[in-house]
Structure formats: structure tokens, C-alpha cells
Amino acid sequence: MAEISRLPGPIADIWEWQLDGACREADPDLFFHPEGERGPARRNRDAAAKAVCEACPVIEQCRRHALKVREPYGVWGGLTEDDREAIYAAQRGRSLRIAS
């Protein structure tokens, strides 16, 4: 579940970028895997979702949002769940090295 406390408040300006998302014209099932999907089917669906994101005018805003609130599911800003987890792990690693 997304970390609700990290979500921005209900200010239209903060959320307005979503109106320009390329994903608004795509099938939402493209961005969220069905339960149990694995292997080539998942890689192909993720690749198709990322292709939509590559042409999106708000990819950076979407990516920042997903990383900030730790979106747990789906492709956001061209990043899969696994992509985001790798980023979080790298950030934790940097934090540990700085703290040492």
C-alpha cells in the first residue's frame, strides 16, 4: 500500500500534471500486472507500458511522484516496481556509506 502520509495535499496544482499523462489514453491493465504474471508475459507488458511512458510529456513528474510516495504497484514514470525497489536499495546503500 502507498505511504499515504507522503502524498501531497489536495491542491489541484500539485496533481494537475496527471491530466497530461500519456497513460490516460492507454488501457490501465498495461501498467499493472495481473496476479501471478511472470516471465515473458510480464516483461512484455512492462516494456509496452514503458514505451507509453517514453513518449509522455510528464514522465519526470510521474517518476518523482512514484518515488516520493513509494508507489508499490505498477509502472510509473517509466519505472516498474522492481526498478523502483532497485533505486530505494541504492539510496539505502548511499545512506549507510555516508553514516559510516
Side-chain angles (χ1 to χ4, degrees), residues 23-99:
C23 58
R24 291 179 58 89
E25 302 297 320
D27 181 352
D29 291 339
L30 185 63
F31 299 91
F32 298 93
H33 66 84
E35 189 172 333
E37 181 185 57
R38 296 194 188 340
R42 186 162 183 171
R43 284 190 301 275
N44 292 339
R45 186 196 41 74
D46 283 343
K50 286 181 169 189
V52 172
C53 294
E54 286 175 15
C56 185
V58 295
I59 187 172
E60 291 302 322
Q61 293 98 317
C62 185
R63 183 173 290 170
R64 278 195 304 272
H65 162 78
L67 292 170
K68 180 178 180 182
V69 303
R70 292 179 141 345
E71 284 290 350
Y73 304 110
V75 175
W76 290 79
L79 300 174
T80 65
E81 299 158 24
D82 292 338
D83 296 335
R84 292 190 301 277
E85 284 301 320
I87 291 169
Y88 303 145
Q91 289 171 341
R92 283 190 300 273
R94 280 193 299 271
S95 295
L96 291 175
R97 284 192 299 274
I98 292 170

